[in-house]
Amino acid sequence: MTDKELMELLQSMSLEEKVGQLVQVTGDALGENGQITGPLGSMKLNDEDKANLGSILAINGAEKLIALQDKQMAQQPHHIPMLFMCDVINGFQTIFPIPLAQGASFDPEETSKCASIAAMEASAAGVHVTFSPMLDLCRDARWGRVMESPGEDAYLNSCMARAMVEGYQGTGKHGPVDREHLAATVKHFAAYGRPEGGRDYDTVELSERTLREDYLPAYAAAVDAGARLVMTSFNTLNRVPSTGNRWLMRDILRGEMNFDGVLISDYSAAEEMVNHGIAEDLSEATRLAMAAGLDIDMVSNCYVHHLADLVRKGDISEKDLDEAVLRVLRLKNDLGLFENPYKAACPEKEREITLCPEFRQEARISAEKSFVLLKNEESCLPLAQNESVAFIGPYAMNHEIFGTWSVPADAESTATIRQAIETMGISNATFCQGSFLMDNDQRNRFGQTFAQDIDQAEKWLEEAKAAAADSDKVVLCVGEMNSQSGECGSRATLRIPECQQHLIEEIAKVNSNIIVVLFTGRPLETKEITKYAKSLVVVWFPGTEGGSAIADVLYGISEPGGRLPMTFPRTATQEPIYYNQLPTGRPNPSGHDLPFLNGYIDEETTPEYCFGQGMTYTTFSYSKPEISGRTLKKGGKATLSVTVKNTGKRKGTETVQLYIHDIAASVSRPQKMLKGFRKITLDPGESASVQFEITEEMLRFYDINMQYVSEPGKFDAYVGGSSLCQDKVSFTLE
Ligand code: BGC
């Protein structure tokens, strides 16, 4: 449709029809089965409300959606097609590593490939819009949703943001979203990743400077890459809930970031403004949401029951309503729905491409790239095929290794570690359950508890110990349960379940060659694990081909390619902990035993493992970094070079990281900030020069007057294999 035709359509719509375009419900409101991704409210819709509905979430399947579209279009007075939206997060049916793991890959190109495959599969199943990428910067591992984010760093997250949007939508920034792509939704705007105490949905208090400098850049990068939708967050930000935050939505998002797409609330976030205590009732919440510029109200009783009345009374202008409706109609038009309301929904295509070998292969590669090797004493890894190995633990034969947003996916389509190792033809491997996954009565995010059968637990442990005693090495496949992280999966402790810790300790009594393969959706405490293990490899929730990828990496067919995208604390009580903290007046680099210095009296200040850390099966050395000019002029640039050499015996890929420290400025600056990274693959003995451009633009920040500028002065540029790197070169900005 042309813009003129869209305007004509808008003008011919009744008030109720217009409101309908701004209402989103779950499938159950229409008597359809679908996922329920939030608290079950009671949305009471009459037949007219149902006929006018503009969009529906959490529903998929080509046949089902074609039929649903036909039914809705027959009812809708102007036959306007519906939008079908879904949480396609780390894949649709072919599941890729969780977003935090994709952050660990430091490989935006790979992430983009994963997103484009997810878009193809979901499109064929009739989906139009994904509620991804989630770009909430997170610095507190207690928060359950860290698994959905690329991690703790604004620069890495911004790179991932672009990659995901381009993967989902294709690179045509303003053109139509073609049949193989989905419209992307940036979420959760804004700063949802900073809840107090790591408790989901909790209060966020943040200075405007920190908000702008650390939290907004990734959302802004996704908007700049052309994301068609933005979702508001559940939290209050400095006491104002995002869904009613005019400043955030109108001034920053639309005004400064130039976002002209559809703004959707999170699930029932509009009506939750009553709980937040800024609206007395749903009518007031509706008014606040419209004032903030919210277009679509997801699963709440605000717009559907109050918007029309408020417009009739003149409390909300018809102009504001029309603008919101027009944005939704434009999105439908951009997706080509007026010409083809089914878009790419096609049962045959859906069957043909879902989980096809090519997609599975990409899932395997992306998983391998995301695994982080944190410890490897005596080169315990990789395993040799002639060693006897006992694979023990609740994840050795577990299909549930997706992460919690992979709802449409079928767990049986995942290769377990056991299946993958048997497929490889390894004959001297044994497999034991070892322990339960969860402790007796431990709760997951759905509030489910898991009663253990004590006799069974003892039997499993005895079997496991016998197998371990009989093997050269033991691979312990342990970790958090899939549903211990994710939405409402906040935790006050960051240990693996005690039954699994007990398993590790018991196995260590009979075999000291322990390798731990750690499944997790968040940074965990690992001290009590590495005490018993020679090797530790974090595999996150690796997805459909996770088992095969783990087998490849354990046997050295490929190497673990990831680096930590979030700091691993020594104890949960150190949270929030992250690498780019501000310096204090009393730094304490040497330990915790000196008085009057920053830190704890009963714990180190430093984390267990730092952002950017991770090993490979080879080693690398770095030359001293050099810079093309020690003085940088405003608008100028310099080139930083370093020679990286593979000093080990295997080919390997290093993730070379550039960090900058602004030594003195009008406001305190982080000790190090990631400003670039490169992956470089080298043969044994081979070296190569790696270069980074340093520009004046990279040195900008919000100064004392909240101006985004650079300030003249001295800077250090650090290069190395993690945020701990110490080799630096200094330069001055004139
Ligand atoms: C989550 C969103 C999600 C939405 C729809 C909410 O509970 O916070 O991330 O997109 O549900 O499923």
Side-chain angles (χ1 to χ4, degrees):
M1 272 199 200
T2 61
D3 231 41
K4 185 164 165 275
E5 286 167 326
L6 280 181
M7 286 304 291
E8 283 164 8
L9 172 63
L10 177 71
Q11 274 149 20
S12 65
M13 288 164 74
S14 69
L15 177 58
E16 288 70 22
E17 266 184 285
K18 288 179 183 173
V19 169
Q21 290 304 306
L22 308 184
V23 175
Q24 179 166 98
V25 297
T26 44
D28 60 317
L30 298 180
E32 299 285 337
N33 288 329
Q35 308 148 229
I36 304 293
T37 59
L40 268 181
S42 53
M43 279 192 72
K44 294 190 182 58
L45 303 184
N46 63 28
D47 288 346
E48 191 188 10
D49 298 331
K50 288 184 190 166
N52 285 333
L53 280 175
S55 63
I56 188 160
L57 86 147
I59 195 161
N60 69 82
E63 257 164 50
K64 187 199 257 181
L65 294 192
I66 289 171
L68 190 57
Q69 191 70 296
D70 282 339
K71 193 169 143 209
Q72 270 309 107
M73 286 176 69
Q75 297 186 43
Q76 209 287 339
H78 284 86
H79 313 296
I80 301 176
M82 290 213 291
L83 283 164
F84 298 128
M85 308 197 186
C86 223
D87 289 281
V88 181
I89 308 290
N90 46 308
F92 182 65
Q93 297 280 355
T94 304
I95 301 301
F96 301 98
I98 54 170
L100 186 62
Q102 293 190 35
S105 73
F106 279 68
D107 193 336
E109 227 174 280
E110 184 59 44
T111 283
S112 195
K113 283 187 202 163
C114 299
S116 74
I117 290 174
M120 277 188 253
E121 274 188 356
S123 294
V127 178
H128 306 141
V129 173
T130 173
F131 295 136
S132 177
M134 186 278 216
L135 297 167
D136 303 320
L137 186 102
C138 40
R139 294 169 161 176
D140 189 335
R142 293 171 299 178
W143 191 45
R145 302 196 77 167
V146 304
M147 58 148 298
E148 295 176 52
S149 159
E152 74 181 35
D153 183 71
Y155 177 78
L156 176 63
N157 289 12
S158 302
C159 296
M160 290 300 176
R162 280 184 189 283
M164 283 190 262
V165 172
E166 286 171 6
Y168 289 132
Q169 294 193 166
T171 42
K173 202 163 150 181
H174 296 294
V177 178
D178 71 22
R179 287 170 58 84
E180 302 221 304
H181 291 93
L182 299 170
T185 309
V186 179
K187 69 185 190 188
H188 306 82
F189 197 73
Y192 179 40
R194 166 97 178 217
E196 276 184 6
R199 295 177 300 268
D200 211 354
Y201 318 121
D202 217 303
T203 304
V204 178
E205 290 276 335
L206 200 56
S207 76
E208 187 179 339
R209 177 173 286 107
T210 305
L211 171 74
R212 285 182 180 275
E213 199 158 308
D214 300 332
Y215 288 81
L216 295 186
Y219 307 121
V223 168
D224 190 56
R228 305 296 169 117
L229 298 92
V230 170
M231 186 186 289
T232 68
S233 57
F234 287 126
N235 55 284
T236 53
L237 172 62
N238 302 335
R239 309 203 179 199
V240 184
S242 299
T243 311
N245 193 330
R246 215 188 146 95
W247 171 74
L248 196 57
M249 301 303 163
R250 290 211 189 259
D251 297 356
I252 296 197
L253 179 66
R254 296 220 187 265
E256 295 180 25
M257 295 184 187
N258 294 320
F259 175 67
D260 62 359
V262 170
L263 181 61
I264 185 170
S265 73
D266 203 347
Y267 199 109
S268 71
E271 64 181 39
E272 287 172 19
M273 285 197 277
V274 175
N275 295 347
H276 281 299
I278 70 148
E280 273 190 2
D281 52 26
L282 298 186
S283 172
E284 193 177 3
T286 303
R287 203 177 41 72
L288 289 174
M290 279 299 288
L294 180 77
D295 298 325
I296 298 182
D297 179 13
M298 183 197 292
V299 197
S300 102
N301 285 297
C302 285
Y303 282 16
V304 68
H305 298 311
H306 299 276
L307 185 49
D309 271 353
L310 288 166
V311 174
R312 274 189 217 103
K313 282 197 279 182
D315 285 351
I316 289 173
S317 73
E318 188 111 30
K319 181 173 158 284
D320 280 356
L321 174 72
D322 282 0
E323 272 176 19
V325 177
L326 192 59
R327 280 193 283 265
V328 175
L329 295 179
R330 282 209 176 107
L331 176 62
K332 293 185 175 184
N333 198 34
D334 279 355
L335 288 158
L337 297 185
F338 291 109
E339 287 73 35
N340 171 9
Y342 316 116
K343 194 165 176 273
C346 172
E348 295 77 39
K349 178 95 177 176
E350 187 183 11
R351 278 191 289 275
E352 181 198 325
I353 65 168
T354 296
L355 286 160
C356 67
E358 186 195 335
F359 293 176
R360 280 179 169 276
Q361 179 59 14
E362 207 57 60
R364 188 168 182 158
I365 293 170
S366 59
E368 291 167 6
K369 287 184 173 181
S370 75
F371 298 164
V372 187
L373 182 64
L374 290 173
K375 180 177 181 188
N376 197 17
E377 272 173 9
E378 300 166 27
S379 298
C380 208
L381 282 176
L383 301 168
Q385 300 220 355
N386 58 6
E387 287 171 324
S388 59
V389 183
F391 290 84
I392 296 171
Y395 276 109
M397 294 168 285
N398 194 335
H399 292 276
E400 304 271 344
I401 53 173
F402 287 165
T404 47
W405 267 124
S406 313
V407 190
D410 171 15
E412 292 303 311
S413 63
T414 315
T416 64
I417 295 180
R418 176 180 191 153
Q419 286 166 335
I421 287 182
E422 287 174 350
T423 308
M424 268 171 97
I426 306 278
S427 52
N428 45 3
T430 46
F431 301 89
C432 306
Q433 172 75 25
S435 77
F436 282 95
L437 186 50
M438 293 279 268
D439 292 331
N440 219 358
D441 293 333
Q442 193 171 14
R443 278 181 65 194
N444 72 357
R445 73 186 190 106
F446 302 113
Q448 296 160 322
T449 51
F450 302 85
Q452 288 188 2
D453 170 343
I454 305 291
D455 293 341
Q456 179 66 76
E458 274 171 16
K459 201 166 145 248
W460 279 341
L461 184 61
E462 287 321 308
E463 268 169 22
K465 281 174 86 169
D470 229 23
S471 304
D472 296 329
K473 289 182 179 169
V474 180
V475 174
L476 280 168
C477 309
V478 294
E480 269 199 331
M481 189 185 198
N482 209 22
S483 51
Q484 273 185 288
S485 55
E487 187 173 349
C488 60
S490 295
R491 296 185 59 192
T493 55
L494 295 175
R495 286 168 62 90
I496 58 170
E498 294 308 320
C499 57
Q500 298 186 50
Q501 181 65 37
H502 180 63
L503 172 68
I504 298 177
E505 291 170 18
E506 286 298 304
I507 296 297
K509 291 180 183 161
V510 298
N511 193 323
S512 62
N513 290 322
I514 293 181
I515 294 142
V516 167
V517 172
L518 185 63
F519 290 78
T520 182
R522 52 155 60 87
L524 289 176
E525 289 177 21
T526 54
K527 234 185 329 190
E528 288 301 313
I529 297 176
T530 46
K531 195 156 136 191
Y532 302 97
K534 288 188 177 157
S535 304
L536 171 66
V537 52
V538 177
V539 297
W540 316 105
F541 289 112
T544 305
E545 287 297 323
S548 320
I550 291 167
D552 286 349
V553 165
L554 291 179
Y555 282 94
I557 294 160
S558 32
E559 60 168 6
R563 302 291 181 270
L564 291 184
M566 262 188 98
T567 302
F568 272 45
R570 292 173 194 269
T571 76
T573 47
Q574 286 182 312
E575 297 288 351
I577 186 166
Y578 48 98
Y579 85 95
N580 50 356
Q581 283 174 312
L582 296 175
T584 66
R586 296 186 173 188
N588 183 9
S590 55
H592 57 87
D593 51 354
L594 296 170
F596 306 114
L597 293 182
N598 168 246
Y600 303 104
I601 55 171
D602 53 1
E603 185 51 272
E604 303 274 344
T605 329
T606 53
E608 187 71 12
Y609 296 107
C610 219
F611 176 83
Q613 246 183 298
M615 301 154 77
T616 60
Y617 291 149
T618 185
T619 46
F620 298 93
S621 69
Y622 283 72
S623 68
K624 279 253 167 239
E626 287 175 7
I627 194 158
S628 58
R630 294 249 168 199
T631 311
L632 201 64
K633 294 199 184 334
K634 284 240 162 179
K637 43 177 121 162
T639 306
L640 182 145
S641 325
V642 67
T643 302
V644 182
K645 182 173 182 190
N646 180 345
T647 48
K649 297 193 181 68
R650 277 179 62 113
K651 184 176 176 161
T653 302
E654 173 68 329
T655 305
V656 184
Q657 299 159 44
L658 167 73
Y659 295 88
I660 290 187
H661 177 208
D662 185 345
I663 293 170
S666 58
V667 295
S668 180
R669 307 285 294 130
Q671 304 174 41
K672 269 181 192 158
M673 289 180 84
L674 184 72
K675 290 288 177 181
F677 54 85
R678 301 254 191 296
K679 293 213 143 202
I680 167 168
T681 303
L682 298 171
D683 283 321
E686 190 186 356
S687 44
S689 167
V690 178
Q691 287 166 353
F692 292 98
E693 199 164 80
I694 297 185
T695 63
E696 175 267 329
E697 216 183 323
M698 283 160 71
L699 311 176
R700 293 185 194 163
F701 64 101
Y702 288 91
D703 73 356
I704 189 78
N705 301 313
M706 285 300 287
Q707 299 302 307
Y708 192 65
V709 293
S710 60
E711 287 178 355
K714 289 189 182 142
F715 294 81
D716 284 335
Y718 293 84
V719 191
S722 82
S723 61
L724 294 174
C725 58
Q726 288 304 321
D727 280 343
K728 63 178 183 185
V729 58
S730 306
F731 64 93
T732 304
L733 177 69
E734 276 191 340

